[in-house]
Amino acid sequence: MPDKIIRRLRGAAAALAVTVLFTPVHAGALLMFVFSAGRYDSSGQGGPFRSCTADSVSCEGPNVVAMIICALVVLAGLTLAALAGIRAARPRTP
């Protein structure tokens, strides 16, 4: 019984370690997702992240490809964390 508890704790620690390791990657991907999901004025007036208004000359909509890539990066990091936890929680075979 204690071996099962130790394995579960070891798996949780491994998953947490990988998640903490990938935190900057996840944060960057989520930030890029937010920027990719917006509609911005691409006329060059008012800065690079000026929202589209009624008097905007040129607007660019959401960048769907970038949004998908960001979502895949986050899912890949979460999958790696889960796999690391599963692998660390496996019973040791002599």
Side-chain angles (χ1 to χ4, degrees), residues 34-82:
V34 170
F35 283 139
S36 299
R39 290 181 46 89
Y40 299 104
D41 187 355
S42 61
S43 65
Q45 301 172 350
F49 300 116
R50 181 173 176 234
S51 296
C52 284
T53 59
D55 60 343
S56 295
V57 177
S58 178
C59 281
E60 290 188 15
N63 189 345
V64 178
V65 174
M67 291 170 61
I68 291 171
I69 290 172
C70 291
L72 289 176
V73 166
V74 171
L75 286 175
L78 294 175
T79 302
L80 285 174

Side-chain angles (χ1 to χ4, degrees), residues 15-43:
L16 181 65
V18 171
T19 302
V20 168
L21 182 69
F22 280 102
T23 297
V25 175
H26 287 160
L30 290 174
L31 184 65
M32 280 302 299
F33 184 88
V34 170
F35 283 139
S36 299
R39 290 181 46 89
Y40 299 104
D41 187 355
S42 61
S43 65

